[in-house]
Amino acid sequence: MGDILNVIKGNDSFIISSHINPDGDAVGSQLAVYSLLKDLEKSVCIVNRDPIPFIYKFLLENDLPYISLKDMEMAENQNSWMDAQVAIVLDCASLARTGDALAEKIRKFDKIINIDHHASKEEFGHYNLIDPEACATAELIFDLMSYGDIRIGRKRADYLYTAILTDTGSFRYGNSTPKAHDIASRMIKEGVNPQKIAELVYEVIPYQQAKLFGMSLDTLEISTDGKIAQMWVTNDMMEKTGTTAEDTEDFIDYVRSLRGVEIALFFRETEGNNIKASLRSKNNLDVSKVAAVFGGGGHKAAAGCTIQEPIGKARKMVVDALKKYQHWEKA
Ligand code: 5GP
Ligand code: MN
């Protein structure tokens, strides 16, 4: 950690990147590091492939320098951020998780700091702070600040609290460790209002999204033994309801919440007509290994992958892989 703080202190310009489709941990961790670097009067820009999801916009300040590669039509003309001295990559199990185009650019940096809590422990940075025991990347940012005796303050407390709240599934997943609760408690003491944050993150479902959920719920299927449940969303459903991929993010939680279900699956058609699969496990089955069969990855209890097949076939491939893997586990 001392190394990383020295690199931060010893350089002037930074970019902070995270994974495609940033989640609460990605956004919260990025903002916390951003605010720390601003306090140190560094030049800093957040660069991700995708825009920040609506539900996390309440965390943003007006003048936040944020580049989404997806939104940049003339990406090649706006590359001054590439002159930064250091790239800080957060919540990414591999550099490729930033998206192919961005990964290629970050790879050229002389100094890459990699801070992450995924189990794959890929040390793609020149400086790596990786701890799969950490509940969220935000926990490692908290550790880094504690190590450096850096005051958290109200703003950063909001960022870190939101990151931990969302990455632990509101303190319901296996990563809801004593430390997760301990940091949350400290953040509340710094002034975070948990009721307000929960309202801003969870109680802002747009009407159109609710309609899409209704359509998706119609697709719900449960295996004969009741242990594997799945639901899906097609491009057609999103078109009909005027929604986007972002609207489907929490649908898998519903599948997960069904009685007796041990493996929850959610499938979504992508713009390129590939299938994005999300896998969640409530027993000991490591779904990141199943996702890895299709070139994806993630955590033991939450993983994902993209399959270049029509939705029916992709669904069957994942279920078949799960059954095969369950079989190996027992053997
Ligand atoms: P989600 O299903 O919410 O998209 O992803 C769950 C977890 O799986 C994420 O935290 C992320 O770590 C991982 N994940 C999702 N999609 C991919 C993927 O395509 N490749 C890899 N390596 N990990 C993924
Ligand atoms: Mn995370």
Side-chain angles (χ1 to χ4, degrees), residues 44 47 63 69 73 117 145 156 209 247 283 308:
V44 45
V47 187
D63 55 352
L69 251 50
E73 300 213 334
H117 71 125
M145 291 194 186
R156 289 198 281 259
Q209 187 186 111
D247 290 292
N283 58 20
Q308 293 174 1

Side-chain angles (χ1 to χ4, degrees), residues 19 23 25-26 29 91 116-118 135-138 163 167 299:
H19 52 82
D23 57 12
D25 189 24
S29 298
D91 203 37
D116 184 43
H117 71 125
H118 289 87
C135 69
T137 297
D167 239 35
H299 309 269

Side-chain angles (χ1 to χ4, degrees), residues 213-233:
F213 182 67
M215 281 187 189
S216 184
L217 200 50
D218 252 352
T219 70
L220 179 67
E221 274 182 18
I222 296 195
S223 61
T224 40
D225 63 4
K227 290 183 179 165
I228 305 177
Q230 55 172 299
M231 233 167 78
W232 62 92
V233 155

Side-chain angles (χ1 to χ4, degrees), residues 283-304:
N283 58 20
N284 276 327
L285 188 77
D286 183 350
V287 283
S288 74
K289 291 190 178 151
V290 178
V293 172
F294 306 103
H299 309 269
K300 201 169 174 216

Side-chain angles (χ1 to χ4, degrees), residues 3 34 91 107 122 125 137 157 201 211 218 234 243 246 325:
D3 282 5
Y34 170 81
D91 203 37
R107 203 164 282 127
E122 198 180 301
T137 297
V201 174
K211 298 305 268 184
D218 252 352
T234 60
T243 48
E246 196 182 310
Y325 191 70

